[in-house]
Amino acid sequence: MAEYSPTSTQGRRVSLKLPPDMSSSSHPLSEELQCSICLDVFTDPVSTPCGHNFCKSCLNKCWNNSQTCICPYCKETFRQRPDLKINTTLREISEHCKEKSSAKKPRIMCDVCEDRKLNALKSCLVCQSSYCQTHLEPHLRVAGLMKHKLMDPVRNLEDYMCQKHDRPLELFCRDDQTCVCSICSVKDHKNHKTVPVEEESEEKKIQLIKDLQQMIQERILKIQEVKHSAEVRKINSEKEKAAHVELFTDLIRSIERCQTELLEMIEEQQKLAEKQEKELIEELEQEITELKMRNTRLEQLSHTEDHLHLLQIYSSLQCRAADTRNWPKISVKTQENLETIRRAFKKLKDTLNEKLSQVGSSKLKWMQQYAVDVTLDPDTANPHLILSDDGKQVNHGDIRQKLPNKPQRFDYCVSVLGKEGFSSGRFYFEVQVKGKTDWTLGVVRESVNRKGVFTASPSDGYWTVGLRNGNEYEACAGPAVSLSVRVKLQWVGVFVDYEEGLVSFYDVESSSHIYSFTGQTFTDTLYPYFSPYPNNAGTNSNPLIITPVDINK
């Protein structure tokens, strides 16, 4: 006979006996029944909102000694202390696990033995007594006693009797999920579906085993999934590292090649200039020699009175203008050399910009693989904001709408959050900001202040960048950091790595980096944040648009 612990109609639970192979403490299932705090089998197990189980006293002790309520297993933080309810099914399984793992079972003695009490072999629910083998004999022989309900010996026989009718609780009401006696089944539970407790116990055991085996299988599959994901991530990481090494190697080669060409060009120009200088010096020295000779001859003639001869050779002694060199040509050549060098530097700069652009594009494409589908949450939207039906666009309206003042709604600042929150991993989304003069984008902590005026900074739970007055870009880093942007932004990509504490912003069109918040510590759920800013008399009326991520852009 299957062991069962039926109770009265006042609502006691059915006790189910697990088969020995499932209740052994050495079975892997016992690990599923251990509290990760005390490392013992659960006592009054409770479940947290994140789905993990602990002893009620262990979890309360942890939370009583802390200012915040954090799951000891996955570290998820709860804004309010959860109302803990005992998981009755898990408690039932844990109790049986404890019973089966106990080295010494309780001894049930025969109620009839007088001198030397013997161990009871069976308990009779009708007689409300336990019997050894000798005193059980009448129940196996006498016709009237053979109809009594016998079971494995137990101490608390009163728990197996209906307190109302003093009959064995041998039926189970599936409508009320409680054990009843035969009289209850025809009175209080007349139109209910009742089955023998043995049948219900067997069905529940089978279902429990199936549920537990399914839980085990789900966790095995999850482990396999995590391991596979880790392998894929490792492979992708190796490929990404190889691609970046190749890219930077190519960049270094380009720089070295440009540097070699530039040095060769400078050396060649230097040799050319030295040759020109040498030739000019030689010519000038030769002219000096000739002039000195003329000067000597002239001095000789100055002492003679042969004036006619002087006039006849005057033309040969004269320094004609045609003989004078155009010396500034050397400086013009130098200017040409400088222009050549400038062109070489420009070529090198263009090569560097091209390679760096390839690096930025590669980095952005890597981030885009973590793209998520973001939809605006109307329950958080400021009453002045107008959201599109698909939840992908938001702009400022001129009239304040009459909306319920929910705790999650921004009541002063024209802001709205995404519906989806993220408390782990990486995620990325893109927003069109084309045609706007003012806007703010980024992510915020779930617990940020949404009422009245607030400061947008990391210390207050905001990681954002924005545009002011049409051309002033800034990171709201507390204080604000001015950003240098080469061209007006049209599409902005937002990337978050929760575990790394990283929030990065990219110009999607040019694949260039805008700004990053690094070394942050995230303990709360993060939500995408959008603020289109007021219309400003129509100059800022364009909406912010959450756009699909196209990795082939």
Side-chain angles (χ1 to χ4, degrees):
M1 180 183 296
E3 179 182 342
Y4 67 100
S5 179
T7 57
S8 69
T9 55
Q10 279 69 34
R12 296 190 184 129
R13 294 179 290 103
V14 175
S15 176
L16 305 176
K17 177 182 177 184
L18 289 174
D21 62 326
M22 289 297 292
S23 57
S24 172
S25 60
S26 62
H27 194 276
L29 178 60
S30 63
E31 297 179 3
E32 301 291 333
L33 301 177
Q34 287 182 352
C35 171
S36 60
I37 299 176
C38 66
L39 301 179
D40 202 350
V41 179
F42 292 122
T43 299
D44 292 334
V46 293
S47 300
T48 59
C50 55
H52 297 114
N53 303 308
F54 307 89
C55 296
K56 186 176 182 179
S57 60
C58 293
L59 189 56
N60 281 330
K61 187 175 181 180
C62 284
W63 288 354
N64 290 340
N65 297 329
S66 174
Q67 295 180 347
T68 57
C69 294
I70 301 175
C71 173
Y73 189 82
C74 69
K75 307 305 180 185
E76 181 173 345
T77 303
F78 310 112
R79 296 179 61 187
Q80 295 182 346
R81 183 162 180 162
D83 184 15
L84 301 175
K85 302 291 184 182
I86 293 177
N87 187 325
T88 55
T89 302
L90 191 56
R91 180 174 65 180
E92 185 71 26
I93 300 170
S94 301
E95 290 175 353
H96 278 288
C97 183
K98 287 180 179 179
E99 292 175 5
K100 293 299 179 180
S101 62
S102 176
K104 185 177 180 180
K105 295 182 179 179
R107 295 179 61 189
I108 309 298
M109 311 307 294
C110 176
D111 293 326
V112 182
C113 292
E114 294 182 355
D115 297 331
R116 180 172 170 268
K117 293 281 186 179
L118 299 177
N119 291 337
L121 183 64
K122 292 290 181 181
S123 293
C124 177
L125 294 180
V126 178
C127 301
Q128 287 286 286
S129 297
S130 298
Y131 303 103
C132 64
Q133 185 172 3
T134 302
H135 294 116
L136 181 65
E137 190 272 335
H139 280 78
L140 303 177
R141 176 177 49 82
V142 180
L145 295 178
M146 290 176 67
K147 295 179 181 180
H148 288 191
K149 192 77 170 181
L150 297 177
M151 61 179 296
D152 292 336
V154 293
R155 290 185 185 277
N156 52 333
L157 282 169
E158 65 277 5
D159 289 343
Y160 294 78
M161 301 295 291
C162 175
Q163 302 300 314
K164 186 175 182 181
H165 303 111
D166 199 27
R167 293 290 185 91
L169 295 167
E170 50 192 2
L171 298 172
F172 183 81
C173 176
R174 288 181 171 172
D175 294 86
D176 293 338
Q177 289 293 297
T178 187
C179 293
V180 297
C181 69
S182 56
I183 298 177
C184 291
S185 66
V186 296
K187 288 188 175 182
D188 299 336
H189 301 263
K190 181 179 181 181
N191 297 320
H192 293 180
K193 184 177 182 180
T194 57
V195 295
V197 291
E198 293 88 351
E199 179 182 338
E200 183 67 17
S201 176
E202 289 300 321
E203 288 189 13
K204 275 189 164 47
K205 282 193 294 186
I206 293 172
Q207 186 59 47
L208 279 173
I209 293 171
K210 285 182 178 179
D211 291 345
L212 291 169
Q213 291 294 345
Q214 181 179 353
M215 290 172 64
I216 293 170
Q217 187 63 28
E218 287 174 352
R219 282 151 179 77
I220 292 174
L221 292 175
K222 188 63 178 178
I223 291 173
Q224 294 174 349
E225 179 186 338
V226 171
K227 288 182 177 179
H228 176 70
S229 176
E231 291 175 358
V232 171
R233 185 175 65 253
K234 184 178 180 180
I235 293 172
N236 291 338
S237 178
E238 291 299 326
K239 289 181 178 179
E240 182 186 350
K241 285 193 291 185
H244 278 80
V245 168
E246 182 180 356
L247 186 60
F248 278 100
T249 301
D250 188 25
L251 177 59
I252 292 170
R253 287 172 181 168
S254 298
I255 293 172
E256 290 175 345
R257 185 171 58 253
C258 290
Q259 182 186 31
T260 302
E261 292 175 357
L262 181 59
L263 292 176
E264 289 176 352
M265 186 184 306
I266 293 173
E267 186 175 353
E268 183 179 343
Q269 294 295 332
Q270 177 68 18
K271 289 180 179 179
L272 179 60
E274 289 176 355
K275 180 181 178 183
Q276 291 175 339
E277 291 168 356
K278 182 179 179 181
E279 291 175 351
L280 177 59
I281 291 171
E282 289 176 351
E283 291 181 15
L284 291 173
E285 287 177 344
Q286 184 178 352
E287 289 183 2
I288 291 172
T289 301
E290 292 178 358
L291 290 172
K292 286 181 177 179
M293 290 174 63
R294 291 180 186 180
N295 186 60
T296 302
R297 190 175 180 186
L298 182 60
E299 287 180 354
Q300 292 173 350
L301 290 174
S302 64
H303 298 291
T304 182
E305 293 181 354
D306 191 351
H307 301 293
L308 179 61
H309 180 66
L310 177 61
L311 292 175
Q312 288 175 342
I313 65 171
Y314 173 77
S315 58
S316 63
L317 296 173
Q318 187 180 20
C319 296
R320 297 180 179 85
D323 292 338
T324 305
R325 295 297 304 252
N326 188 12
W327 300 322
K329 286 184 178 179
I330 296 298
S331 63
V332 172
K333 276 288 184 181
T334 303
Q335 185 65 29
E336 291 176 356
N337 294 342
L338 290 175
E339 289 298 327
T340 302
I341 294 172
R342 289 193 185 99
R343 286 195 296 270
F345 272 114
K346 184 178 184 303
K347 179 181 177 182
L348 177 58
K349 181 180 178 182
D350 292 342
T351 302
L352 286 172
N353 287 337
E354 180 183 352
K355 296 299 180 183
L356 290 174
S357 176
Q358 293 177 18
V359 173
S361 178
S362 175
K363 184 67 174 178
L364 182 61
K365 289 184 183 300
W366 175 80
M367 291 180 177
Q368 287 175 330
Q369 69 177 314
Y370 296 101
V372 294
D373 184 18
V374 177
T375 306
L376 300 173
D377 184 359
D379 289 338
T380 66
N382 178 279
H384 278 103
L385 295 182
I386 300 173
L387 276 57
S388 61
D389 293 337
D390 63 357
K392 298 295 184 180
Q393 301 185 29
V394 56
N395 65 301
H396 185 272
D398 294 325
I399 300 175
R400 183 181 178 89
Q401 305 170 79
K402 293 183 178 179
L403 299 173
N405 186 21
K406 298 182 177 181
Q408 62 268 40
R409 188 183 303 282
F410 290 92
D411 65 349
Y412 181 81
C413 294
V414 284
S415 307
V416 61
L417 302 183
K419 283 184 179 179
E420 301 78 12
F422 304 89
S423 56
S424 64
R426 300 165 176 151
F427 63 95
Y428 173 88
F429 60 94
E430 292 178 354
V431 183
Q432 178 180 314
V433 296
K434 186 186 298 183
K436 296 191 65 62
T437 61
D438 297 85
W439 52 262
T440 299
L441 294 173
V443 294
V444 301
R445 201 165 49 213
E446 182 181 17
S447 58
V448 293
N449 177 31
R450 308 185 190 189
K451 305 300 180 184
V453 181
F454 54 79
T455 303
S457 67
S459 60
D460 296 296
Y462 289 79
W463 294 269
T464 60
V465 299
L467 171 65
R468 306 291 179 264
N469 305 318
N471 59 3
E472 299 172 7
Y473 292 95
E474 66 178 26
C476 304
V481 175
S482 181
L483 303 177
S484 176
V485 178
R486 287 183 291 178
V487 294
K488 191 174 179 65
L489 298 177
Q490 307 295 323
W491 279 273
V492 176
V494 183
F495 174 77
V496 177
D497 189 324
Y498 194 96
E499 281 72 23
E500 290 295 325
L502 172 69
V503 181
S504 290
F505 299 86
Y506 272 76
D507 178 358
V508 179
E509 280 195 319
S510 65
S511 299
S512 58
H513 176 253
I514 300 173
Y515 186 80
S516 287
F517 294 93
T518 59
Q520 307 298 306
T521 301
F522 303 131
T523 57
D524 205 350
T525 303
L526 299 180
Y527 286 85
Y529 173 83
F530 310 85
S531 177
Y533 266 64
N535 277 337
N536 293 336
T539 60
N540 190 41
S541 60
N542 281 15
L544 290 176
I545 304 174
I546 303 170
T547 57
V549 174
D550 183 4
I551 199 168
N552 296 317
K553 278 184 185 177

